[in-house]
Amino acid sequence: MRTVTLYIAMSLDGYIADRSGSVNWLHGHGPDEDNIDTYSAFVKNMDTVVMGWNTYRQVAMELSPGEWPYRELTSYVITHRELPPADKIKFVKDNSCQIVRTLKQEQGKGIWICGGSSIIQPLIQNDLIDEYYISVIPTILGSGIRLFGEIPNERKLKLARTQTYNGITELVYVRR
């Protein structure tokens, strides 16, 4: 069965976006050349990415306008909008749990859960995430969109590894 991995960054106080929905604070405390590229190694094991409409819009319009950065992956964008599929981008109305359960049964590499919170929360609540790659950014936002919300039962995880660079701490946990 395919592995489902949440790969995401959050502020030190647990937010994935500020109060206006912006992620322009996603950087370390020094110049970009001090960053280590953990994404390239991660994405080699993925062939699918799942995200919500807001994350899709943010990537397509703000973070990478003019060029879809996940063109090597099949992208599933969960939305209620009626949109025609684009090259390797599928707009779907199913909820994140339905999509992940279906994808896990198919052949392929790993499934990356990219965001946002409304996509992630049901997956955590239904214990459908196998690995958590969390990059903690050295910023305290005070408010915004939380990564973790309430869940009915605790989730026990095992720390697989950590890495620090440019003030960012990357935590990798697996389900126990």
Side-chain angles (χ1 to χ4, degrees), residues 40 59 104 107 121-122 151 175:
S40 294
V59 170
K104 277 182 78 90
Q107 292 293 318
Q121 290 310 310
I151 58 171
R175 184 188 310 166

Side-chain angles (χ1 to χ4, degrees), residues 5-133:
T5 304
L6 174 63
Y7 182 92
I8 200 163
M10 72 175 190
S11 65
L12 182 60
D13 53 345
Y15 296 99
I16 58 175
D18 68 17
R19 63 183 60 91
S20 67
S22 174
V23 293
N24 62 6
W25 51 272
L26 286 177
H27 47 80
H29 56 57
D32 283 342
E33 63 263 12
D34 292 340
N35 286 331
I36 294 173
D37 180 16
T38 60
Y39 172 78
S40 294
F42 165 77
V43 81
K44 286 179 185 176
N45 297 314
M46 302 293 140
D47 66 3
T48 304
V49 59
V50 177
M51 67 188 72
W53 172 258
N54 288 336
T55 301
Y56 168 77
R57 184 193 53 73
Q58 194 166 50
V59 170
M61 302 298 185
E62 296 172 34
L63 301 176
S64 184
E67 182 181 351
W68 185 241
Y70 312 130
R71 63 187 172 279
E72 302 298 320
L73 308 173
T74 300
S75 299
Y76 288 83
V77 179
I78 301 171
T79 181
H80 295 294
R81 291 167 177 78
E82 294 286 338
L83 298 166
D87 186 36
K88 294 182 78 171
I89 302 174
K90 300 177 182 187
F91 298 97
V92 295
K93 292 185 179 186
D94 296 336
N95 69 48
S96 58
C97 293
Q98 291 170 318
I99 290 169
V100 165
R101 285 185 180 114
T102 299
L103 291 171
K104 277 182 78 90
Q105 300 303 315
E106 296 174 358
Q107 292 293 318
K109 292 181 175 182
I111 302 163
W112 168 23
I113 307 303
C114 183
S117 181
S118 64
I119 303 306
I120 296 166
Q121 290 310 310
L123 295 172
I124 294 172
Q125 290 170 359
N126 288 279
D127 202 21
L128 291 171
I129 298 176
D130 301 306
E131 301 175 328
Y132 294 77
Y133 280 62

